[in-house]
Every structure is written in C-alpha cells, then in structure tokens.
Amino acid sequence: MDNEHKREPGSRREFLSRSIVVAGALGAAHQVAAAAETAPAPIRLPEAIPAALRAPGKPAAFPMRGGQVFAKVCKEEGLAALFCCPGNYEVINSLCEEGIPCYGGRTEGSMCAAADGFIRVTGEIAACSGTEGPGFTNMIMNIAAAHAARTPLLVLASNKRLSEEDAEGGIQTVYQQPTTEGMRKYGKRLIDPLRVHEYAAYAFRQLKTGVPRPVHLDFPQEISGARFKDPSELRFFHEKSRYRTDARPHPDPKRIRALAEMIRKAQRPMIVASTGVFYSRAWSALKTVAEKADIAVCESGTSRGHFSDAHPLSASTAPGALMSADLVIFAGQYSMPSVGEYNFSPDAKFARIDPDAADIGRNWPIDLGIVSCEKAALQALAEAVSPAKRPTWAAELAAERKKFEDQNDTYYNTGLGYQDAVHPAVIARQLSDFLYRGSLPKEQTTVVSGGYGIARYARRFLRAYRPGQICNGAYQYGAIGPDCGYAFGVSAAVQLGVGPQAPYKGAPIIGITGDAGFAYSGMEIETMMKYRVPAVMIVYNNNAWGIMSQGKPIHMYLFQENLRYDKIGEALGARGEYVAKPEEFLPALRRSYEIAAKERISTVINCQAKREFWQGSQHPPGFLGKVEPGCMAYAH
Amino acid sequence: MRPPRTRKKAPPRPSRKTPVAIVRRILESYARRGVFRSFSQTSSGGKAHFRFRWLWNLPFRATFQGKALRFENLLPAIPPGSELHAGLQAFIEGCQSDQRPEHRRIDPRRLAVQFSNRRLCFRVVGTDYEYGVRKAIHLVNEIFLSYLSAEHPQFLVRHFAVPEE
C-alpha cells in the first residue's frame, strides 16, 4: 500500500484537489509531464508485458496436468483466442503455453464480451475464463448475450475442489452449472479427472455442430491439477476425427426443387441472410444464388457484411422494399421474429433454411422448411434455381435505397442545425463519410455498433461490404454496456487477422457506445492500451440513460451533466478527444484514427450531446424508430 | 304405381360468393397460414364481427357490413390536427398514389379508405371483395410496421405496449 492511501482522509476539498491533480496528470500521459512537485509518474507499460508476449510458448508433453490435457484439445481444435482475468490458473496458463493468443483484461464480464465480439466478426471459436464464484458470476450478463446471439463461445471457470463440495470452505463458492441453465447449449462441472479429454471433446462437438451457443465447463482443482504420466492414464484420448464429425446436414433435394419452383413463380423474392449464413461461411453460395435468379438479399444477425451493401440486389438499406417481397427465404435466422417484428407482407410466402428441424416453424409461420446447413442448402439452391432476370424488382430496390439515403440526408441536415451540442445524426453521417467515402478502402474498417439511442442513428449510416465488418453489439439480448469489451475482442481479431479479418490485419477499429454503456466496460480501454490493440471509441454522451422517456421520477434516469469520458480514456493511458460542437467531430475522428493506425494508440472521443435530442417534438427528428430486417435490425 | 318420392329440400347454404363469405374466407386464410394467431367470427344486427390476434400478438377487431370493413378503435388517442394525425393521413394517401409500385398501391377506384376518429374504414367500390380485404389488411400492416414503427415508435410503446427497447 502506498503512502497516499495510508494517509488519514482530509477534508472533502483536499480530496477533490488531490483527485483533480491525479486525473489531470494522468491525462497528459502521452505528453511531457509538466514539472510539478506533485506530478505522478507517467503511465507506462512494464517491460514484463512485452517480454511475456514475445516469449515462445511451451506446448505440453506427457507427463501433463489436467489443464494441459484440456489446453491441448483446444489447440488441436483451433481455439482462436482466450480472453480472461486471473483465476482458473492451470487452464489459462496451459492455453497460453500452447500458443493460443491470450488476453488478460480488467473484468471477467468484459472479457466474456471480448470473446463474443471476436467470434462474431471471425466465425472462429474463442474462450473466456474467470475465477470461481465472483469471476464467473461477473460473466453472466455477457454469457446471456452470447447465448441470445447464438455465439459459439467456450466459457471456462475454475471451481474449488470436489473435496470441498457443499462445505463453503474458504471463499468464492458457487454452483456454476445451475447458474448458466437457460443461457448455454451445453454445460458440465467436470468431476472425474480421467475424463478431462472426453469432456473437452463434448465441448467442441457442441461448439462445432448445429446452431451454436455457449458451452460452459467448470474445473474443480482435482481436474485441472490432476497429473497424468502418459495417455494410458486418461480414460478417453482420441484424435478429433474420432470424437466428432465435420459432416453437415444436407438438404432434401425435393425440398430444394420445391423452393426453386417457389422462386421461379415469385416476382419479388428475397433472402434474409442471418447469423447462420455467416457461421457456415455461405457468403459465396449466397451471392451465386442471388445473382442467378435476381433474388434480393437483406441481412440480419449478430454481424453484417456477408452480403455487401453495395450489391445492386442488397435490400439491407432499402427498408421500404421489404413489404414488396412476395417470397421470403429465412437462411440461418436463428433468433426468429414473430409476426409484426419483421416488415413483411401478410401475403408473402415464407421458407426457412435451418440446421435445426425443431426450430423451423417457431414464431413465424412457414410454407416450406428445409433442414440443412445454410451453406449446403444455398449451394444446392444455386444449382437448382432457374436463371431469371427481375429488372423491375432490382429497380424498386434501387429506388428504395435512394429513398432511405435521402431520409438520412434529411436527418443529417437537421442535426447540423444544432450548434449547442453534437447531434447523433452528425456523428453517424460524418463517421460514415470518413469510413466509406474518404481515403480509406470502404471494406477496411471493422465497426462495433453499440449504444442505445445513438445506435438508432449509427445503424442507419454504417455500411458493411464484406463478412464480419460490423459487430451488431446489442443484438437480441440488448445488453447495454459490453461495447468496450466487444471492441477489444474485435480489435484483437483484426490485429491477428483471423478469418474474414485477414485482409485488414492490423487496421484500427471503430467502436460506438453511449455514456450509460461506457460505465460497464470502459476500463477495457486500459486493456486496449496494454496490448496496443487500437480502437477509436466514440462515446455519445447525452447525460442520461437512453431509456429516460420512462423517467418518473427523473433522477433515476439522469447523470451529472458534462462528464468527461475522454478524461477517463486519458487516465487509462489512451488518448481523449472532447467534442462539443458538430464541426469538431470529424477532425477529432481523423486525428484519432491516424494515431491508432500509426502508433496503435486508442482514443476515447467524448461527444457531448444532450438528452433533449430524444424529444422529437422540440428537437426533431428525435428518437428514431426502426425497421427490421436490414441495417437497422438488432432485435432479431 | 308408387307415388313419386318427394325430396326434402336442404336448407340453403350460405353462398361462398356472398360478400360476407368472401371477407370471411380471406380473413380465415390468414389465420390458416399462421399470419393471424387466432380467429373468430360472430354476427349481430346484420354485421359480421371478426376477431383475431395479429401483429405483436395484439388483438384486432374488424366489422363488415354492406360493403364496408371497419377497424374500430384501431388507432386510439390521435387528436385531429396533430402531427401524427396529419402524418397518418398523408401515409394513407401515399398508399393510393401512382408513385407507388402497383403491387403496393391501393386503387381508389376499387377500394375507398377513410381514417377518422380512431377508425379505419375500407369501402369496396364495385364487387371485388377479395381485393378489398387483402388491400385493407396490407394497409393496416403497413400503418403499424412501415409508418408507426419507423416514424412514431413512442406511440406504439404508449398505446400498444410494444417494447420500447
């Protein structure tokens, strides 16, 4: 404990004075610290961190411990990354030693979100880990979010000793598996050390087949610390082709022919390409079938870009065209809307392609169901469908895209009229211009689209031109707050160049969040700086929870005004930008991006808005509605 | 010689082609397809009353009499002269505009639409009841999903308990 903390607390004035000095000095971390008696030491990265990151892994060989056996399976299965906080030491250390990229952050919850974000933009499996009771329960909100998003997330946690079961020995005791009931695909408390390899196989069999969802394993110390001299001491020790298959369900040819016939008869067919299209990597098959028969494609799901917004058949930014579709094919729409939640005509016909027969027909009535891996079905459909040209349909899509852009322009011009604060339409539009209509290749930058009210604007202006370009933060579960966690995981994916991020390896990413959301995961700015995983985090600061329209009494919905999230960024070793006028936003964004690209330094841009922007009667256009599916979709 | 058998005349079946039968058949077809989640019809005072659950599983009620299909209390608490009222009128008029693609357009020569005092009334012009009912259902669908959801989400939150978030 340092002397500062040992001192008796003085007056409130003294306390505030000290706090201001500390915050101010930390904020100057990337400048020469002003000479002052009380100036603290500058923020710096201890050499131990880069040294540890440079150190080569030491893959385990027998004799091994249980954690090492488990880590070996993870390596074999291609686990792409681990995001964790200390705890579950045998397992996380072993994963690191196997050479799996590992990241240690500030809260288990945010690291869970980081793993989720990583998966959502790569399609690869990643893990999160935390210590037993508190570390594990800190992850809960984001495990639930991953569950709703159908993310193949491996959740790991240590969990005391079997010999202490029910004894409340020491601290941090909790029954983990009942806690994740209803928010996982599979879960298991490992109880037999001899079966550690077998249950690793259980985990990957679940993660790599069917509709993905989190898998949760908890490791008592007897399991992770068990010692094995050789493979004969393990009850189950097989190569992965022996315990699972890469085979995928293929569609019934009759049903594919029936769907091809429905397409032939339709005048305005549309495919809703959702989460399953991304995870099955079906984007090429999707493009082929769409182009062969002039089928419109509208995206939904946890990430965007598996069908480019620039394609003439894209309906993702043509919400006005959805009602015109007379045949809708849901492909990989795991989170199914009910009638009313998607904007389709009551006279349209509906088909659904899904690997899970038991889910087909849930919520939304269907005329045809096809049980299949999305990629296999779309490939078969591409073969079966008759070539067709539908120029009037393509023209309608183009007209509706233009109408949407025109409406966005109107919002932007209205937003520019507010000079006393930064309107969300200004942020969204100028960000969009910077990313897609400036000097950057429009496919380059991956974006985490988070926040609540700001998201209603940002989604309208963000575009996706290649798979995994947008991580749809609040998808389905609607958790407000994991955005900095998602951003860290997404940026790690881009720095590593994993999956569809490979061509953009090393590029900075953009994250968008609100002032309410920032409070949940803002500490991960420090993690971004620690690993030099750069992100430009745009914080929409309107001094309130987004849902304040319900605010009676209002004090529960408001914050102190003009809080400085940029200063928090600075205090955590990153840069801060303070933007209070519309014309300040774009220069701040340019500076931040340039420094992120050149020096791998993250920035928090505090965009000072005001809560009155959600009141459309006085501050049009106010809080925006939405139309799903398409670029505005986040419920399904 | 045996006397000729006299056949008893069966009571007349309601014609499948009467306006009310056509309206019922069309509405029922939405229920059969799962678009409506429930469906019932009752009659009183020469009117046919239809009830069904539809968008967001909300209850809807429509009444058919003569040539008119009415959705009573469909859009509550919209004061005449308000911005929402004017916007809604404009949206309804826009749905009859030549600017719309034909498949999305209501032809006023075949179906007249009137919005007033919470009620949306469709009057079939001519005899194409199927056209009239389908277009009426389309317009209600569009009012809720394309107009209110996109432009006035708070109205749906306040009056229909549609989740705000």
Side-chain angles (χ1 to χ4, degrees):
Chain A
M1 191 180 284
D2 62 28
N3 291 335
E4 182 75 10
H5 290 119
K6 279 178 188 167
R7 251 182 250 146
E8 288 295 310
S11 69
R12 178 178 162 77
R13 182 177 297 230
E14 279 172 17
F15 169 78
L16 288 173
S17 163
R18 274 206 307 279
S19 303
I20 291 163
V21 168
V22 170
L26 287 172
H30 296 287
Q31 301 163 8
V32 178
E37 285 177 20
T38 55
I43 296 169
R44 64 187 175 88
L45 199 63
E47 176 50 30
I49 290 176
L53 289 169
R54 281 194 303 269
K58 291 181 198 162
F62 282 105
M64 288 198 277
R65 294 185 303 280
Q68 291 173 309
V69 173
F70 178 77
K72 270 250 173 286
V73 181
C74 292
K75 179 70 176 175
E76 277 287 304
E77 288 282 7
L79 183 73
L82 167 72
F83 299 85
C84 63
C85 286
N88 200 15
Y89 307 107
E90 289 278 5
V91 172
I92 65 171
N93 293 346
S94 301
L95 289 168
C96 204
E97 293 286 274
E98 286 296 325
I100 292 166
C102 294
Y103 302 91
R106 300 303 295 258
T107 69
E108 292 85 352
S110 293
M111 289 295 96
C112 180
D116 188 355
F118 182 101
I119 297 164
R120 291 191 199 189
V121 299
T122 63
E124 299 294 332
I125 293 170
C128 58
S129 177
T131 192
E132 21 218 282
F136 161 69
T137 48
N138 194 279
M139 291 193 270
I140 288 295
M141 178 178 86
N142 294 322
I143 296 172
H147 179 261
R150 275 66 169 182
T151 302
L153 168 71
L154 179 57
V155 179
L156 307 171
S158 52
N159 201 357
K160 302 293 288 182
R161 301 179 66 87
L162 290 169
S163 59
E164 291 170 349
E165 192 89 345
D166 304 322
E168 287 192 286
I171 57 171
Q172 303 193 339
T173 304
V174 72
Y175 294 111
Q176 291 188 16
Q177 292 300 325
T179 313
T180 53
E181 184 77 42
M183 54 180 86
R184 66 176 192 226
K185 187 177 181 184
Y186 173 76
K188 184 71 182 172
R189 172 164 167 79
L190 307 189
I191 53 172
D192 183 349
L194 303 183
R195 300 179 70 181
V196 62
H197 191 285
E198 182 181 354
Y199 279 110
Y202 266 81
F204 283 98
R205 203 161 41 238
Q206 296 285 346
L207 288 164
K208 294 205 166 187
T209 58
V211 175
R213 274 183 161 143
V215 165
H216 167 207
L217 298 181
D218 70 270
F219 289 82
Q221 204 279 330
E222 288 93 334
I223 309 299
S224 53
R227 292 175 183 277
F228 305 98
K229 284 183 191 159
D230 59 60
S232 70
E233 292 187 350
L234 284 160
R235 197 175 293 166
F236 183 99
F237 195 69
H238 300 306
E239 192 272 329
K240 64 184 176 194
S241 65
R242 300 288 169 185
Y243 62 71
R244 66 171 185 81
T245 178
D246 286 323
R248 293 286 176 268
H250 276 55
D252 178 345
K254 279 185 194 166
R255 286 177 179 262
I256 287 292
R257 284 197 295 276
L259 183 53
E261 181 61 11
M262 288 167 81
I263 293 169
R264 190 186 66 77
K265 287 180 180 169
Q267 291 181 296
R268 296 171 300 280
M270 182 179 288
I271 296 172
V272 177
S274 194
T275 307
V277 172
F278 177 70
Y279 283 120
S280 66
R281 291 169 170 70
W283 43 79
S284 293
L286 174 66
K287 188 161 177 272
T288 303
V289 72
E291 289 177 347
K292 188 171 176 188
D294 263 8
I295 304 171
V297 177
C298 188
E299 288 189 324
S300 70
T302 57
S303 71
R304 291 229 302 116
H306 30 279
F307 193 84
S308 170
D309 287 344
H311 198 289
L313 290 167
S314 172
S316 293
T317 59
L322 302 178
M323 282 289 178
S324 290
D326 57 356
L327 169 65
V328 176
I329 303 161
F330 292 113
Q333 178 78 52
Y334 298 151
S335 172
M336 276 307 291
S338 292
V339 172
E341 293 186 299
Y342 269 8
N343 276 41
F344 289 122
S345 162
D347 277 320
K349 289 189 169 11
F350 296 95
R352 189 169 165 202
I353 299 167
D354 197 280
D356 181 5
D359 205 62
I360 293 177
R362 183 172 65 87
N363 293 349
W364 199 287
I366 51 151
D367 295 283
L368 178 70
I370 295 176
V371 181
S372 175
C373 154
E374 295 82 359
K375 186 176 183 178
L378 290 169
Q379 285 173 333
L381 192 58
E383 290 288 317
V385 76
S386 303
K389 288 288 166 206
R390 296 181 167 88
T392 52
W393 183 212
E396 186 178 343
L397 292 169
E400 291 295 344
R401 282 194 300 266
K402 181 173 184 316
K403 202 182 284 182
F404 184 66
E405 297 296 355
D406 290 348
Q407 191 178 35
N408 284 348
D409 285 348
T410 305
Y411 291 161
Y412 175 57
N413 289 325
T414 305
L416 276 178
Y418 299 108
Q419 285 297 311
D420 57 338
V422 190
H423 192 272
V426 173
I427 298 168
R429 169 59 182 271
Q430 294 190 355
L431 173 64
S432 176
D433 285 347
F434 176 75
L435 294 177
Y436 316 126
R437 286 176 285 278
S439 59
L440 299 174
K442 67 181 190 299
E443 299 84 4
Q444 177 172 293
T445 309
T446 309
V447 177
V448 174
S449 173
Y452 177 60
I454 177 66
R456 293 284 176 118
Y457 281 88
R459 289 190 192 102
R460 295 181 69 101
F461 290 87
L462 291 174
R463 297 291 174 264
Y465 302 105
R466 48 86 177 169
Q469 192 170 3
I470 297 175
C471 170
N472 197 354
Y475 181 76
Q476 224 312 289
Y477 196 65
I480 295 299
D483 303 325
C484 293
Y486 289 141
F488 177 70
V490 166
S491 190
V494 177
Q495 297 315 301
L496 292 168
V498 177
Q501 306 300 332
Y504 316 101
K505 184 175 179 175
I509 69 130
I510 302 284
I512 305 164
T513 190
D515 47 353
F518 189 81
Y520 287 79
S521 59
M523 279 302 291
E524 302 312 330
I525 300 295
E526 195 275 323
T527 317
M528 291 172 190
M529 287 306 298
K530 177 172 117 178
Y531 289 102
R532 291 297 190 268
V533 162
V536 177
M537 285 304 302
I538 298 165
V539 181
Y540 180 74
N541 179 2
N542 70 345
N543 311 315
W545 290 95
I547 199 77
M548 67 183 168
S549 60
Q550 303 283 335
K552 289 173 186 173
I554 195 75
H555 68 86
M556 293 190 288
Y557 299 78
L558 302 182
F559 312 139
Q560 297 175 88
E561 294 188 350
N562 306 316
L563 295 176
R564 295 292 297 272
Y565 300 96
D566 53 319
K567 293 290 182 193
I568 296 178
E570 290 173 357
L572 294 173
R575 290 180 68 253
E577 290 273 3
Y578 179 68
V579 173
K581 291 180 180 167
E583 62 271 22
E584 294 169 351
F585 176 70
L586 192 55
L589 177 63
R590 283 200 186 109
R591 282 191 298 273
S592 304
Y593 190 93
E594 195 175 323
I595 290 170
K598 286 183 180 165
E599 300 177 41
R600 299 164 74 87
I601 288 172
S602 297
T603 298
V604 175
I605 304 180
N606 181 114
C607 295
Q608 190 57 57
K610 57 181 186 180
R611 62 191 166 99
E612 290 81 2
F613 282 152
W614 291 163
Q615 292 163 354
S617 53
Q618 287 117 43
H619 292 77
F623 189 84
L624 296 181
K626 67 179 168 69
V627 170
E628 297 199 12
C631 68
M632 291 176 267
Y634 70 95
H636 295 285
Chain B
M1 209 173 146
R2 294 171 68 181
R5 279 186 189 172
T6 55
R7 276 190 185 169
K8 274 189 179 175
K9 241 184 175 180
R13 284 184 181 175
S15 165
R16 290 175 60 81
K17 291 184 178 174
T18 62
V20 70
I22 294 168
V23 171
R24 181 190 168 102
R25 177 171 56 82
I26 302 302
L27 292 177
E28 213 169 20
S29 74
Y30 289 115
R32 271 200 308 275
R33 292 186 55 232
V35 175
F36 299 162
R37 285 203 166 178
S38 61
F39 179 79
S40 69
Q41 186 210 326
T42 55
S43 299
S44 68
K47 293 179 186 174
H49 304 280
F50 300 97
R51 292 179 177 209
F52 43 91
R53 283 191 176 266
W54 184 19
L55 308 170
W56 301 286
N57 241 341
L58 293 169
F60 284 79
R61 297 170 69 172
T63 302
F64 181 73
Q65 185 182 32
K67 290 191 158 213
L69 183 67
R70 291 186 177 85
F71 289 80
E72 307 281 354
N73 288 321
L74 182 73
L75 298 161
I78 303 179
S82 66
E83 187 197 340
L84 177 53
H85 193 274
L88 201 48
Q89 289 283 18
F91 182 79
I92 292 167
E93 280 165 24
C95 289
Q96 301 166 71
S97 154
D98 288 348
Q99 302 297 312
R100 277 207 147 198
E102 197 179 341
H103 52 272
R104 296 277 293 279
R105 186 188 312 149
I106 291 175
D107 183 348
R109 292 168 303 182
R110 299 168 78 185
L111 185 70
V113 187
Q114 191 185 14
F115 167 60
S116 62
N117 194 24
R118 301 173 168 228
R119 173 200 296 168
L120 199 55
C121 180
F122 299 89
R123 188 173 297 280
V124 175
V125 183
T127 55
D128 194 344
Y129 289 92
E130 175 162 354
Y131 176 89
V133 176
R134 288 197 188 283
K135 288 293 182 182
I137 291 295
H138 284 203
L139 183 60
V140 173
N141 192 50
E142 286 225 40
I143 284 172
F144 276 87
L145 302 188
S146 301
Y147 179 68
L148 293 173
S149 229
E151 307 290 333
H152 296 277
Q154 293 298 331
F155 176 79
L156 292 177
V157 173
R158 274 197 298 275
H159 299 290
F160 294 91
V162 171
E164 182 167 14
E165 296 176 53

